[in-house]
């Protein structure tokens, strides 16, 4: 019994040492200094090796999917994270569908980036410059045509020659008590996003093992 106790302590010490080494040698942190305003996000001074949350004011088109939107459409301005059931303008209704749009400037021209969407239980499609790059569940205009899904997904894209990109996320929810885009998507270089989430997985595995 005493030997087993000593062995457990050694394993715990080695595990803590490994976790500490990973944390010390990982440079992937979130930069929380950027906020979108009225559907625009300027990233001119961003350290592009950091991961950022696409936090702030997005344009939101309630009761419209991405293909419904044209120059005559009138959006609301909503801060993401956004919960429909807490929004007075939406009558506190968690059910329905709509589209969020954000324009980003200040990226490195023609460089590859990644966007990660986590913990969105509802159905959504993500578009980058008009091209659908992520589908999660089935987006629809009614409960009969909408199917929710819970899965973290990441997509890669290339900024245009001016370092700009347009992000659109259409969301539908007819099943869950919470609707909307209630976690902010993450943006970073491809390697930064991979490293950030790999580190999170290592920490989760360690904590699960200890518990």
């Amino acid at each position: 019994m005493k030997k087993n106790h000593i062995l457990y302590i050694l394993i715990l010490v080695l595990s803590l040492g490994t976790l500490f080494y990973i944390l010390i040698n990982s440079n992937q942190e979130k930069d929380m200094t950027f906020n979108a305003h009225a559907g625009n996000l300027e990233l001119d001074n961003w350290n592009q090796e950091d991961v950022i949350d696409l936090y702030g004011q997005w344009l939101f088109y309630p009761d419209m999917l991405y293909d419904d939107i044209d120059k005559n459409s009138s959006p609301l301005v909503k801060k993401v994270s956004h919960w429909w059931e807490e929004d007075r303008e939406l009558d506190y209704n968690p059910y329905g569908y709509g589209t969020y749009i954000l324009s980003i400037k200040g990226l490195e021209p023609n460089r590859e980036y990644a966007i990660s969407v986590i913990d969105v239980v509802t159905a959504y499609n993500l578009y980058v410059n008009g091209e659908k790059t992520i589908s999660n569940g089935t987006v629809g205009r009614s409960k009969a045509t909408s199917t929710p899904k819970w899965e973290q997904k990441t997509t890669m894209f290339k900024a245009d020659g001016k370092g700009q990109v347009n992000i659109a996320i259409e969301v539908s929810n007819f099943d869950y008590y919470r609707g909307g885009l209630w976690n902010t998507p993450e943006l970073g270089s491809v390697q930064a996003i991979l490293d950030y989430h790999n580190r999170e997985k290592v920490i989760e595995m360690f904590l699960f093992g200890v518990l």
Side-chain angles (χ1 to χ4, degrees), residues 30-43 46 51-59 77-83 86 100-105 115-117 167 169 181-188:
K30 279 192 176 179
D31 188 335
M32 308 299 290
T33 60
F34 295 95
N35 289 303
H37 298 280
N40 294 285
L41 181 61
E42 301 281 350
L43 298 177
W46 173 38
V51 174
I52 63 171
D53 284 332
L54 297 179
Y55 178 79
Q57 296 177 338
W58 291 53
L59 301 183
V77 176
K78 296 297 179 181
K79 182 180 287 186
V80 173
S81 308
H82 181 218
W83 296 273
E86 297 180 3
Y100 298 84
I101 292 183
L102 180 67
S103 296
I104 303 174
K105 298 179 180 179
I115 291 178
S116 184
V117 182
I167 306 298
I169 304 177
L181 188 57
W182 37 275
N183 265 316
T184 52
E186 299 167 338
L187 171 69

Side-chain angles (χ1 to χ4, degrees), residues 31-209:
D31 188 335
M32 308 299 290
T33 60
F34 295 95
N35 289 303
H37 298 280
N40 294 285
L41 181 61
E42 301 281 350
L43 298 177
D44 292 331
N45 298 315
W46 173 38
N47 176 359
Q48 306 212 2
E49 300 310 316
D50 289 337
V51 174
I52 63 171
D53 284 332
L54 297 179
Y55 178 79
Q57 296 177 338
W58 291 53
L59 301 183
F60 177 61
Y61 298 81
D63 302 319
M64 300 183 75
L65 297 182
Y66 182 60
D67 289 340
D68 299 332
I69 299 170
D70 59 31
K71 64 181 180 180
N72 297 316
S73 302
S74 299
L76 304 175
V77 176
K78 296 297 179 181
K79 182 180 287 186
V80 173
S81 308
H82 181 218
W83 296 273
W84 295 348
E85 73 282 359
E86 297 180 3
D87 193 323
R88 183 177 180 179
E89 286 188 284
L90 303 180
D91 297 323
Y92 306 108
N93 181 13
Y95 307 115
Y97 58 93
T99 300
Y100 298 84
I101 292 183
L102 180 67
S103 296
I104 303 174
K105 298 179 180 179
L107 300 175
E108 186 176 321
N110 301 312
R111 180 176 180 177
E112 282 195 330
Y113 293 89
I115 291 178
S116 184
V117 182
I118 59 174
D119 292 341
V120 177
V121 179
T122 56
Y124 69 88
N125 293 319
L126 186 147
Y127 297 81
V128 178
N129 290 335
E131 179 182 353
K132 185 190 296 186
T133 59
I134 294 180
S135 289
N136 187 71
T138 303
V139 175
R141 302 177 191 270
S142 66
K143 184 174 177 61
T145 59
S146 179
T147 304
K149 189 175 183 180
W150 186 4
E151 183 178 358
Q152 176 178 324
K153 291 193 174 184
T154 299
T155 185
M156 293 181 289
F157 69 92
K158 184 177 289 188
D160 68 16
K162 295 181 180 181
Q164 301 177 3
V165 67
N166 190 67
I167 306 298
I169 304 177
E170 57 181 15
V171 179
S172 67
N173 176 56
F174 295 92
D175 296 272
Y176 199 57
Y177 73 93
R178 172 171 287 178
L181 188 57
W182 37 275
N183 265 316
T184 52
E186 299 167 338
L187 171 69
S189 69
V190 175
Q191 192 59 50
I193 288 287
L194 291 174
D195 288 347
Y196 184 83
H197 286 289
N198 285 339
R199 187 182 70 165
E200 283 190 327
K201 289 178 182 178
V202 169
I203 294 173
E204 290 174 359
M205 291 173 63
F206 171 78
L207 293 175
F208 179 78

